[in-house]
Amino acid sequence: MRLGGFAVGGLALCLLATSCSARSDDDLVVFGAASLTDVLQAAEEQFEQDNPGIDVVLNLGGSNALREQIRSGADADLFIPADPEIMAEAIAAGDVDGPETAIARNELAIAVPAGNPADVQSLSDFARPELLLGICASAVPCGQLARAAFATSDIDPSLDTEEPDVRSLLAKVAGGELDAGVVYISDVAADPRVELVALKAWEQQSTTYVIAPTSGATNAAAAKRFVDFLQQGEGRSIIQQFGFGSVSR
Amino acid sequence: MTAPRTPSRAPRALVVLSLIGGTLFVLPLLGLLTETPWSRLGSILSDDIVVDALVLSAVTSIAAAVLSALFGVPIAWVLSRLQFRGRAIARAIVTLPMVLPPVVGGAALLFALGRNGLIGGFLNDVTGFSPFSVWGVILANTFVAMPFLILTVEGALNGIDRRHEAAAQTLGATDLEVFRRITLPMIAPSLKAGLLLAWARSLGEFGATITFAGNLQGRTQTLPLAVFVNLQSADREPALAISLILVAISLTVLVSLRDRWWGAR
């Protein structure tokens, strides 16, 4: 009975306190692609310094999974997928308010563990069956781009895993469990335990990150300010520092 | 006990609370059923993704249940019958995966058995073992499933009347004979329950598998992994179909085996 009392009391406290349920009005909730993890964390820090009243809250994951969460009514102010088509679909469905703003570009690259023990030199090494190789699952943009890269360069890859997002792939390469993985060029810069093997020009695939407020955004003013920050303010230079390509204004 | 099986008047509070609690389980099922693309179900179910994951899950979950019994019964016996220093710690360690987030278990397996892990390099040289294989899936499943069997069987071993074992011993049976001919038959119902629990836990295993064995269709992509990955994609229908399969299999097994093994109530 005492335990039951605790449970009921805790539940009541939780319902009373705002911390358990609703977010605070000053929160700016940003749903961003997993490949943006480090750059958005750095941007958050700078932006919060410049705007002391605003607390940026990040939700990072696979672009399609984030899209699904927004469809189901997740509490988001801004959406930044790694694929403009996902954004276009979200705008068409009325879940996100267009027009979107392009803020960064990214290209594929091969990540190998430090020292490149398996001597991976190009995408064609992904046909070597004796290596442990990974890409992202087709459900996320980096997986679709990797598939496209294999298709255009006519390579039949001998894969060992298709990871649910680019960061779990990067982690397996960084830990040396995989000999190579197809990630974004910005990911390679993000982890000192991996080295970059550039793709040949004809193997290359790229994507653009676009940002737009969700139709349910509750913090429109802060959202607008964050978009400006990323597009032309200090955020723009942070994006470049993290190895992303810039987009023409 | 002569008390009637069904109380003549059920306390209203218990019935109301049980109904409220029950909606927690019924509503998600209804949600899944309404999302299911029924008209195209046949063609989706014959999809490569679905068939590959189904076969792989069947093989790996049964293998994990069998391995759990092979090693879990002796562990349970040791924990129940032998007095040794550190038994409490040993018991905590072998049941840890029940509480540990599976993704932590998967990472820990990788630190031990991945090719840069504690013994993974050696293991790979000697046996060719790689986590990114069916064996990796079976290992991850066994890791999370065996504690359920150990706990169930150890409880039974502690609960049975030890005089039967003692009697057999006085009649000249060796310790192993006592275990095989007396102990094992006495705990059979619990062993079956443990097997069922371990199998069910394996079938639903996700976090340890994707962390340790990765995700590749036909090799390591079990049903839960296929659901997760495809739920994220633009085409969610295979994920919904697989979810339906998982519910159907689980319900069928839970209903039919429970009745057969413990008698219908």
Side-chain angles (χ1 to χ4, degrees), chain B residues 4 44 49 51 58 77 97 118 121 128 164 167 172 185 207 214 218-219 227 233-234 238 245-246 253 261:
Chain B
I44 301 169
I49 296 176
V51 174
W77 187 87
L118 218 48
H164 297 281
R219 199 193 308 172
V227 172
S233 75
I245 297 181
L246 276 169
V253 170
W261 285 355

Side-chain angles (χ1 to χ4, degrees), chain A residues 23 28-31 59 66 69-70 73-79 95 212-219:
Chain A
R23 49 185 263 209
L28 176 68
V29 182
V30 180
F31 279 32
N59 178 17
L66 297 175
Q69 291 171 25
I70 291 172
D75 192 3
D77 292 310
L78 286 168
F79 182 37
D95 292 327
T214 63
S215 46
T218 50
N219 205 346

Side-chain angles (χ1 to χ4, degrees), chain A residues 161-185:
Chain A
T161 184
E162 296 184 14
E163 293 292 311
D165 67 66
V166 68
R167 286 307 163 109
S168 43
L169 175 59
L170 190 68
K172 284 202 166 93
V173 175
E177 298 304 337
L178 295 175
D179 293 308
V182 180
V183 299
Y184 293 114
I185 204 161

